Amino acid sequence: MTSSVPSDVLGRRILCDTEYATVRYAGSVPPTTGLWLGVEWDNPQRGKHNGSHEGVQYFKCGHPTGGSFIRPNKANFGVDFLTAVKNRYGLNDEQDVECEKENALVIGKKTVELVGFDSIIEQQSQLNKLVDISVRECAVSHAGQKEEISRTCPNIRSINLSKNLLPSWEKVTDIACQVQNLESLDLSENKMKFPSDSGSITCTLGKLRVLALNRTGVTWAEVLLCSPEWPALEELYLASNDITVLERPINVLQTLKLLDLSNNQLIDGSQLQLIAYLPRLEQLILSNTGISSIHFPDGGFGCKTKMFPLLQRLAVDDNKISQWSFINELDKLQCLQSLHCQNNPLMGTEKSPETVRQLIIAKIGQLKVLNKSEIFPDERKGAELDYRKMFGNDWITAGGNQNPDKNRPNEEFLAAHPRYQLLCLKYGAPEEGELKRQQPFILKNQLLTLTIKCPDKPDQKPIEKKLPDSMTIQKVKGLLYRLLKIPGSELKLSYESSKMEGKEIELENDLKPLQFYSIENGDTMLVRW
């Protein structure tokens, strides 16, 4: 190899103009003369072929047009970590040289440096103070001289090394193992080679709590292989790595509180059972993972599962969830409080998004936040009462009965509505008159234009809103919580009729519709809390 090409060139990451690539070949390409580098581009649109030239295969690419040949002088092989830090934070040696030239004194024929040492000490002092370092897109490829990082930057706690030229996990540990108090490390967008056996483990990052490996090409097996190096890890980000299969972590990742697997196309939801016993996992991000179902076989109808024992926050946005059985299963989780589930086929199965929201709230009893919107007590009560009424006739048909001795709904109903029996205990079984379907009346199914005022909040401007007169007071309260962004407190509603000026009528029964109180167009609703 020439002096301009590293001896370990194969597998090295390079930057050419603004494009990233991996060196797959170094040598001659007849009939041309001189040294060529065969590279596989991260962006296959940048390439021209699959690694062959005039019928000779020099290297292989994952994409038919992912390869090119370039001259070595076109390749940027990167810099060491400290050089990147000094460049990013304006502490490079060239600035020091200029400073020394400006602060020199000539005595006779001798030049005496006045503050050259001071500038070095000042630079060292500034590096010593660095705690959170970001060298994203700074072409970092290796650690540099041994132990130089630990001597120069002893106080580092957080490093952002995303989108650099790190070719392997070994090069990462060369840097990270010199930072004794490292707590957060972002390695996203570095296409790296990871260890294939446990013998490659060189050090332990005992204080590392947050690790991001998004878009690195890592597999779950490689994660488990490296994870003994992270005995205190709490947050692990693995988005966009084409992870399709999982394995059960044994004696590793036991401190993990957050796991992000978004944008990995898992084979199916049963894969999740393999990570279901992480004892401290509180947040799981499964957005765009292709899952359509989930099942906790150890929990029967209305029972809790031992899987994911501490899971509080779950994100399953942008998936293929189309069945309510998925939501039913989530009620088995012991601690689930927050759910994100937007952009799934299930969201379009009912008349409106509001109805879908109500059903999810009614089906998951302990849920407190749905799609980033807090669930207030009044909204939960309304959702559960509506759910109880909506499926009351199905319950009776399936064998449900107001008489506890005769109340034996079949398994099919219990599977579809695991919480229904609990809601009957909570609010009482639905009565026959309550379940009779109301006949639509043209005059009764109309929109009322109401002015909403907050008399105790003079800064709150009146709002004009159109509401159906069949809307219950409970649903009106749920709407007002979101509309007025009211904190969790009890709402008190009343109204003033345009025909009875000065008289205020309280809306005290949450289950009654607006039409029950003879509210008409132009009336004013008063909101207090």
Side-chain angles (χ1 to χ4, degrees), residues 29 55 236 240 276 289 313 332-333 367 383 410 475 509 528:
V29 182
L236 179 58
S240 305
T289 52
R313 297 179 292 281
K332 294 180 180 179
L333 294 169
L367 206 61
N410 59 37
K475 287 187 177 180
N509 192 331
R528 295 183 176 89

Side-chain angles (χ1 to χ4, degrees), residues 286-290 316-320 341-344:
L286 298 171
S287 305
N288 191 28
T289 52
V316 288
D317 309 89
D318 302 296
N319 279 299
K320 301 175 182 178
C341 58
Q342 293 175 317
N343 300 324
N344 279 287

